[in-house]
């Protein structure tokens, strides 16, 4: 089937414009492009968001689900945690993909949603921590049939799942709104995943080193707060249409990476 495809140079869009032909870089240019991400003002601004995006897993999995529930209820909770992620991702997509609002407006509305949900999550986590500061002994852990004990913590854990999906979807939307260049976006996504994994590794190390649950909670909430100003800064730079893609001809994406960063810095 691949042999039957038309050459890209002969493909046109429904409006008659030519498709973009990407000129792929070599490993040397790709390495330089990756290193430039660490001096890119947008990526540096998004660093707290990237670092925080999986930092909360260790707290939620260990100190909510792991410390309060028996084994079968943990499995029950995790099934719905990941299931509610699909719900959260779908709901925020309705906002981020709608054409009723300008792109920047959608971004700010989604930001407010994420801000409110995550502060509710950490506020609920603080209340739960104050009620069970050291978790529960194995024999006393909550079973999902004990509705009077299980309802509140289970609801909080499911909201954590929704919040995770909202955060990840919003983060990818921000990154996707920065450029139309697939190669550049791939590097942005790689930067995001790399910093995300770095943050998660530190969080799991804090748990392994037996840092107190209260301090882990504070660290999560503070890191989320630190990510807020830089997320707002990047949202403010987003335009309704990305204009860094040429209509005709080959693109060497490295030729305008520096120009794009400089343009954003000047417009901020």
């Amino acid at each position: 089937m691949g042999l039957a495809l038309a050459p890209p140079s002969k493909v046109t869009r429904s409006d008659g414009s030519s498709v973009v032909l990407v000129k792929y870089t070599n490993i040397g240019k790709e390495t330089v492009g990756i290193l430039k991400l660490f001096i890119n003002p947008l990526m540096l601004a998004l660093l707290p968001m990237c670092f925080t995006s999986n930092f909360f897993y260790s707290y939620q999995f260990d100190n909510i689900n792991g410390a309060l529930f028996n084994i079968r209820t943990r499995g029950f909770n995790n099934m719905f945690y990941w299931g509610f992620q699909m719900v959260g991702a779908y709901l925020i997509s309705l906002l981020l993909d709608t054409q009723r609002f300008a792109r920047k407006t959608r971004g700010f509305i989604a930001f407010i949603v994420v801000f409110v949900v995550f502060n509710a999550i950490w506020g609920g986590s603080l209340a739960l921590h104050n009620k069970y500061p050291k978790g529960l002994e194995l024999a006393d852990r909550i079973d999902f049939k004990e509705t009077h004990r299980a309802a509140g913590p289970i609801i909080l854990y499911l909201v954590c799942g929704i919040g995770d999906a909202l955060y990840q979807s919003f983060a990818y939307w921000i990154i996707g709104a920065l450029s139309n260049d697939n190669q550049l976006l791939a590097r942005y996504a790689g930067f995001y995943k790399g910093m995300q994994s770095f943050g998660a590794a530190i969080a799991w190390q804090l748990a392994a080193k037996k840092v107190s649950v209260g301090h882990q909670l504070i660290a999560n909430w503070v890191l989320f707060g630190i990510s807020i100003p830089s997320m707002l800064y990047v949202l403010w730079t987003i335009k309704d249409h990305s204009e860094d893609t040429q209509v005709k001809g080959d693109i060497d994406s490295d030729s305008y990476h520096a120009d794009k960063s400089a343009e954003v810095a000047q417009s901020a």
Side-chain angles (χ1 to χ4, degrees):
M1 291 182 64
L3 296 175
L5 294 175
S9 59
K10 295 183 178 180
V11 176
T12 57
R13 298 187 179 94
S14 58
D15 61 2
S17 61
S18 300
V19 298
V20 175
L21 305 180
V22 178
K23 182 180 178 181
Y24 293 100
T25 59
N26 57 41
I27 189 170
K29 288 185 178 180
E30 194 66 26
T31 301
V32 171
I34 292 171
L35 293 175
K36 285 182 178 179
L37 294 177
F38 293 91
I39 58 173
N40 183 314
L42 291 177
M43 290 297 99
L44 292 178
L46 290 178
L47 184 58
M49 179 192 77
C50 302
F51 185 87
T52 306
S53 59
N54 272 177
F55 195 90
F56 47 78
Y57 276 170
S58 64
Y59 182 87
Q60 293 173 356
F61 294 164
D62 279 0
N63 301 315
I64 298 179
N65 200 37
L68 300 180
F69 299 99
N70 61 22
I71 291 178
R72 71 172 186 172
T73 306
R74 275 179 258 166
F76 173 87
N77 289 345
N78 280 329
M79 179 178 66
F80 284 97
Y81 178 95
W82 299 109
F84 271 69
Q85 286 215 7
M86 292 186 283
V87 175
Y90 174 73
L91 291 177
I92 199 169
S93 74
L94 298 178
L95 168 61
L96 294 176
D97 294 341
T98 184
Q99 299 303 309
R100 294 178 58 191
F101 307 109
R103 180 189 274 182
K104 185 179 291 188
T105 302
R106 283 178 271 153
F108 280 112
I109 295 173
F111 169 82
I112 292 171
V113 171
V114 172
F115 179 83
V116 170
V117 170
F118 262 83
N119 278 291
I121 286 171
W122 295 125
S125 298
L126 178 61
L128 196 63
H129 171 67
N130 289 336
K131 186 174 182 179
Y132 305 110
K134 295 183 179 180
L136 291 170
E137 296 295 329
L138 283 175
D140 192 38
R141 292 192 177 173
I142 302 170
D143 187 84
F144 67 86
K145 289 187 176 181
E146 301 174 83
T147 54
H148 64 289
R149 299 176 67 203
I154 287 178
I155 291 172
L156 174 62
Y157 192 63
L158 300 186
V159 174
C160 289
I162 294 175
D164 183 19
L166 296 178
Y167 195 104
Q168 308 298 335
S169 299
F170 184 48
Y172 281 119
W173 181 88
I174 292 174
I175 292 171
L178 298 179
S179 174
N180 280 334
D181 174 16
N182 290 336
Q183 292 188 60
L184 184 56
L185 289 175
R187 293 174 193 167
Y188 285 172
F191 181 89
Y192 173 74
K193 296 302 293 184
M195 294 302 102
Q196 179 187 74
S197 298
F198 180 53
I202 291 177
W204 286 110
Q205 272 298 302
L206 293 178
K209 298 296 184 182
K210 305 300 181 183
V211 173
S212 71
V213 175
H215 287 156
Q216 291 183 54
L217 172 57
I218 291 170
N220 275 281
W221 210 342
V222 168
L223 283 172
F224 177 72
I226 291 173
S227 71
I228 295 302
S230 57
M231 289 169 68
L232 286 172
Y233 163 72
V234 176
L235 282 173
W236 189 256
T237 68
I238 289 176
K239 300 178 181 179
D240 284 337
H241 300 283
S242 299
E243 300 174 349
D244 57 358
T245 302
Q246 300 176 21
V247 174
K248 292 186 178 181
D250 292 349
I251 289 180
D252 181 351
S253 61
D254 286 310
S255 65
Y256 63 86
H257 288 178
D259 293 339
K260 177 65 177 175
S261 297
E263 176 188 342
V264 171
Q266 291 173 2
S267 63

